[in-house]
Amino acid sequence: MHLKSNSVPSVNSYAVTVVGHDRPGIVAGVTGALATHGGNIEDSSMTLLRGYFAWTLLVSLDADLATVETTLAPLAEPNLKIAVIELAPEVTGTQAATHWLSVHGSDRPGIVSAVTAVVAGAGGNITDLTTRLAGTLYVVLADVFLPPGVDVAVLEQQLAAVSAQLGVEVTLRVADNDDVL
Amino acid sequence: MSQELLAQLALDLPKGLVRTAVQAPDPVLSTRCVEVDPCDPATVSLAADLLATMAAAPGCVGLAANQIGVGQRVFSLDVSAHSKTRTHHGRFVLVNPVIEQASRNEKAREGCLSVPDFTGDVKRATRLTVSGRVPGTGAAVIITTDAFEARAIQHEVDHLEGLLFLDRAAGAHAIHARQNYL
Ligand SMILES: [Zn+2]
């Protein structure tokens, strides 16, 4: 027998971004505040970019936007910004990367935009991106989803042309499937 | 491995000069190196310089000629003291190397003297056969190896092709800030 619940909790989904000066306790503070509303942290990604704290998290909880904002507001500081975005319940699923893109060369403006514009022009989607600068060496690594039907050879030619213009090295490789044991 | 092969690889070279290591994004590192005569005295001198430069750089177990600014197909290697090494062929230099067979890929983290700020996760064969020439004698040798020596040889041959480990990074999160242990 199947019983329907009379009171279906209205769980809302939010994206929370926390960006600014790092200090110990930011993660503990934000998760603690969300926990007071039964917040359930789903996917999240946090890193330090040149010492700056950068965190995006997806959280589901039974509260409206204003309540979430009020809950998190005391944790914000002049140099640590917290923003909350309410998400539509249905989000498109994750796209598995089909290719890995590597770019490296002398730092100059416009490398990321020029290379990713070529990918976008072919209908490709960047699913993950890391950029690094050390001295004059600039490195871009991207996971790319190329839909079926994309002519990879043509895309590689276009990337080679852009890399020659920019004076950087660009490599597009088929992403390895993860081993499953 | 045969004693004959080890004897062929063992080098009795004049003491080389410690050369300045080239760092990315220098274009010499992204340019394919050219074949060279293994018996040319200049090649012998280059081999000696590679060994001297490699020995002078802490933690350096392999060095390709373009890493000291010479666009020729020569690399030095010595993984004998490395903890991840299984088979090894001591300290040697190979001229005009060609990878003949490569199998059993495994992902591991590696660094590079020419990319001092990063390490990367790179999938490479753990079983490898490489052919090449010994500097000076010009002897043709075939080296079959595994584990870390196989990885190091592939890293150096990549250099000679104008490739860095950055070109082989396994995804957006495959590059890491290099830890300084000192
Ligand atoms: Zn290297």
Side-chain angles (χ1 to χ4, degrees):
Chain A
M1 187 179 281
H2 186 81
L3 292 173
K4 276 185 183 173
S5 169
N6 287 331
S7 58
V8 177
S10 60
V11 173
N12 300 317
S13 294
Y14 300 94
V16 178
T17 61
V18 187
V19 178
H21 286 214
D22 189 33
R23 61 166 171 76
I26 298 174
V27 174
V30 170
T31 53
L34 293 169
T36 61
H37 292 280
N40 186 30
I41 294 163
E42 296 166 353
D43 291 9
S44 85
S45 177
M46 181 244 132
T47 192
L48 294 177
L49 300 172
R50 306 222 148 218
Y52 290 96
F53 183 93
W55 192 19
T56 304
L57 58 156
L58 301 184
V59 57
S60 61
L61 77 174
D62 185 11
D64 62 17
L65 177 62
T67 305
V68 179
E69 288 176 329
T70 308
T71 302
L72 295 174
L75 298 161
E77 297 164 20
N79 288 323
L80 187 73
K81 304 295 182 192
I82 301 179
V84 185
I85 300 158
E86 189 163 4
L87 299 173
E90 287 300 320
V91 183
T92 7
T94 311
Q95 278 177 332
T98 58
H99 291 74
W100 292 328
L101 182 70
S102 161
V103 184
H104 61 90
S106 289
D107 183 34
R108 51 167 286 178
I111 293 175
V112 179
S113 62
V115 173
T116 56
V118 172
V119 173
N125 195 29
I126 307 291
T127 62
D128 212 325
L129 177 73
T130 303
T131 66
R132 299 266 200 168
L133 176 64
T136 60
L137 175 64
Y138 192 68
V139 182
V140 184
L141 297 177
D143 292 353
V144 179
F145 172 77
L146 296 179
V150 170
D151 190 330
V152 177
V154 169
L155 176 58
E156 282 175 327
Q157 284 169 15
Q158 293 169 335
L159 288 170
V162 166
S163 69
Q165 283 168 21
L166 293 166
V168 299
E169 304 303 315
V170 180
T171 310
L172 184 71
R173 288 180 194 279
V174 174
D176 286 332
N177 289 318
D178 289 328
D179 300 323
V180 179
L181 299 175
Chain B
M1 93 197 66
S2 74
Q3 292 304 312
E4 186 194 348
L5 174 58
L6 288 177
Q8 282 177 309
L9 289 172
L11 295 171
D12 184 21
L13 299 176
K15 198 165 153 53
L17 296 172
V18 175
R19 307 271 289 264
T20 306
V22 173
Q23 293 186 357
D26 193 306
V28 75
L29 295 169
S30 299
T31 307
R32 188 184 184 277
C33 297
V34 297
E35 274 77 12
V36 67
D37 176 0
C39 302
D40 187 328
T43 305
V44 177
S45 171
L46 171 62
D49 288 359
L50 286 170
L51 290 173
T53 308
M54 185 171 80
C60 182
V61 297
L63 198 61
N66 52 346
Q67 291 186 275
I68 57 170
V70 179
Q72 299 179 343
R73 299 183 78 77
V74 184
F75 74 81
S76 63
L77 206 83
D78 183 1
V79 300
S80 57
H82 198 279
S83 62
K84 292 178 192 155
T85 296
R86 286 170 60 194
T87 302
H88 74 81
H89 294 79
R91 191 183 75 129
F92 66 92
V93 176
L94 213 52
V95 180
N96 304 334
V98 175
I99 289 176
E100 305 288 351
Q101 280 181 28
S103 61
R104 301 196 199 179
N105 283 333
E106 274 179 20
K107 191 160 74 176
R109 199 169 287 191
E110 58 189 62
C112 179
L113 194 64
S114 297
V115 188
D117 296 300
F118 302 119
T119 60
D121 301 323
V122 180
K123 226 173 194 184
R124 299 210 189 260
T126 59
R127 292 294 188 94
L128 191 82
T129 302
V130 64
S131 64
R133 300 271 179 171
V134 177
T137 64
V141 290
I142 294 176
I143 295 172
T144 297
T145 189
D146 57 24
F148 189 65
E149 194 176 56
R151 171 170 295 271
I153 289 171
Q154 291 166 87
H155 178 112
E156 302 313 327
V157 172
D158 266 0
H159 272 302
L160 304 181
E161 291 298 320
L163 295 173
L164 299 172
F165 73 82
L166 301 173
D167 296 297
R168 293 197 186 272
H173 296 276
I175 298 290
H176 313 276
R178 180 142 136 202
Q179 308 291 326
N180 290 310
Y181 297 107
L182 292 178

